[in-house]
Amino acid sequence: MDSENIRSIKELPPEENMQPGTAACAGCGGLLTLRYCLKALGENIVIVNAAGCFTLLTIYPFSPFRNSWLYTAMACAPAGAQGVRDALDILIKKGKLDPEENLKVVVLAGDGSAYDMALSSTSGAIYRNLDFYYICYDNEAYGNTGFQHSGASPFGSRTGTTPPGEKVPVGSQLQKKNLFDIWNSHKPPYLATVSPAYPVDLMNKFKKAEQFKGPKLFISHIPCPPGWGFDPSQSVKLAKLSVETGLWPLKESIHGEVEHTFVPKKFKPVEEYLQAQERFSHLFKPERQEDALKSIQEMVDEYWRKNTLLP
Amino acid sequence: MAKEMLTGNRAAAWGVRLAEVDYIPAYPITPQTEIIETIAKWISDGEMDAGFVTMDSEHSMITAAGAASATGARTFTTTSSQGLMYGFEMLYTVAGWRVPLVMVNVSRGLSAPITLGPDHNDILALRDTGFLQIHCETCQEVLDSVLMAYRLAEDKRVLLPVMVNMDGFFLSFTREAVEVPDVEAVRCFLPEYQPEHAFFRAGQPMAQGVAVLGGEFYSYFKYQMHLASQNALEVYREVSDDFERIFGRKYGTIDEYMMEDAEYVLVMTNSFSTLGKAAVKRAREKGIKAGLLRPRFLRPFPDSDIRNALKGKKAVAVIDQNISVGKGGIIYSEMAGCLYNEENRPLLLSFIGGLGGKNISQEEFDLIFDKMIRTVDTKVVEPLHLLYTENEWKGITKLKDIAGRQ
Ligand SMILES: Cc1ncc(C[n+]2csc(CCOP(=O)(O)OP(=O)(O)O)c2C)c(N)n1
Ligand code: SF4
């Protein structure tokens, strides 16, 4: 990729580094994200994967990738990346490996892994300034095991382990962890949120990240048709809504300094996004849970107010 | 070749240095820490040219080590006890990647209650992972076994990780005279690692550790691991012959002490077998035809060597420094499995001693020989015996009184 910014979707690189025909669900927003990421990263990479839906992208003896792949486990893909990166560097330094055979090292993990179990190994890798890319596809639950609550599940959402009931009508009572801020407190050279509905923004962020040595981190908010409960054809629309309602701010941080890369001209009401998904349906029927809905909207408003992008 | 007074830990570190390892991810735990501190200092002083990284946990450390191994670097790491357990998930993974990682485990009893004293429940929990296991009695054996471990692990007929085990405190911190081989001699024995199977390169995309759908494939890969582990016994003979030719020291899959004409045999592993050997000598002085068999390998289990060594023996007492709660001694079960189909198999007695580093006293060894002799007369094998001396029991009772517990 050249260093010029991409301006429109027509300028996305035509090369596909991930082939069609995977075991992911129809309309998976994560798969779409990954497709764009791989366009940006090119062929010479090794993906180090944590347990999750995407572990099933490679099933012996098939792989949709033109690049290498190492499945580690749920807690430790960043540590696997450390081993691969260090080994490549050492072998090159000792003259045992031609520098042309070098690879970029990429971690691919779901939110359950990233927000919960792998937080320690991720923090360790960022702290050690490991030169790698980290892609977290955030479907806001443990997807592969059938959509249970994770540290990324939003307040008011229904998951397998936060079912709304008579005593707890709201579903999840906890607020989504702020992984962006957790990661940002490590002051990595590059950190960004992305969305599969904004491929130009995504691509330009990868281009920008390329210039930094050290951790380059990406969190993508990804619609998950079976988990969120919507028709696969609506995936991109939902991804767009999460940005347009202000729920998923598109931003980046360079050495800890945050900037928003896209601010909606006019914020759509959060309800528009919530109503489009089965996992929030209990907030609307049999009766509207006004307090919950209000607090979700307030949480979003508060964020933008704090960032002085709202009056 | 130089003789030096080395602890087991420093002997392990020397093995790593002489193997000219590329990469060492590290995490501290007593009684292993001296190994990584020694290596760290050598690297800091420029005496050793390897990558060294301090990790955030053993789970991460073992992952990084396995992944570096999968990239084609000769890699070493080490832990003990709780650390081994914390990384346990990844031991299966790394073995499944079929990479030649060598690890040292310095055995220590598992919590709770938390302790520093050694026993073998930590390392024996690993026996189904796919790691090969070499258990050492002396500091020299630790150094030598690290070198042999790389030869074995990197052989393409094997390609499985290897764990070299030593007892915490009893070996890790005991100084013995150790011959430190010359690096040139080591290079003859252990050439530079040239990965042929597992490595990541830009020009050669490869998927490792991929998912399988269906038991047929899963079984296939697991059977392959089992067969490779079995191959290791044959490959080890070559490795051990080469080692003897170059360094003059010979190590079998088992160590036999006064076994030739022995009738009553102790089976023990690791450094406590030195105590066992002394007991055998004393028993011989009393006219008992005693001997000791020490399995050096526990995975792969050297079944046929053990069967041969125990042919025609009257009784065998297995002293386990471990306890499989609800069953008994682990090595006892392994030995029973090994001997079951033998005609004229010896009687097999089970003792557990030395948990958490508890001493095994002279009087306990005497009791074991008495029991063996009696059992041969009566043919009635008593159930598992937990070794405790009267004095030890009194000590415990006293502390229980102080704690106000009956
Ligand atoms: C130690 C461990 N615990 C549990 C699991 C079971 N498991 C496999 S995938 C998965 C869900 C992962 O969720 P997430 O990281 O959000 O990724 P997604 O499935 O949504 O792609 C879980 C819990 C596991 N593989 N390892
Ligand atoms: S469950 Fe959701 S995240 Fe997982 S593959 Fe399906 S759509 Fe994608």
Side-chain angles (χ1 to χ4, degrees), chain B residues 183-209:
Chain B
V183 70
E184 281 74 28
V186 173
R187 279 183 194 148
C188 284
F189 172 74
L190 178 69
E192 193 178 290
Y193 177 42
Q194 302 283 2
E196 287 184 38
H197 166 74
F199 56 102
F200 294 116
R201 295 290 180 274
Q204 181 207 299
M206 180 181 60
Q208 286 210 62

Side-chain angles (χ1 to χ4, degrees), chain A residues 51-54 71 74 110-113 117 137 139 141-145, chain B residues 89:
Chain A
C53 291
F54 285 3
Y71 168 70
M74 228 178 126
D111 54 284
S113 169
M117 206 193 278
Y137 57 99
N139 60 6
Y142 289 88
N144 187 241
T145 37
Chain B
E89 174 189 31

Side-chain angles (χ1 to χ4, degrees), chain A residues 123-140:
Chain A
S123 168
I126 304 173
Y127 163 72
R128 290 185 298 266
N129 202 33
L130 180 67
D131 188 26
F132 76 131
Y133 294 81
Y134 192 125
I135 301 164
C136 167
Y137 57 99
D138 182 359
N139 60 6
E140 307 197 313

Side-chain angles (χ1 to χ4, degrees), chain A residues 167-189:
Chain A
K167 243 184 142 173
V168 189
V170 75
S172 171
Q173 297 169 282
L174 300 173
Q175 296 288 351
K176 185 182 174 90
K177 260 192 220 177
N178 191 336
L179 188 65
F180 185 91
D181 281 2
I182 294 172
W183 281 358
N184 202 36
S185 71
H186 294 66
K187 294 203 181 352

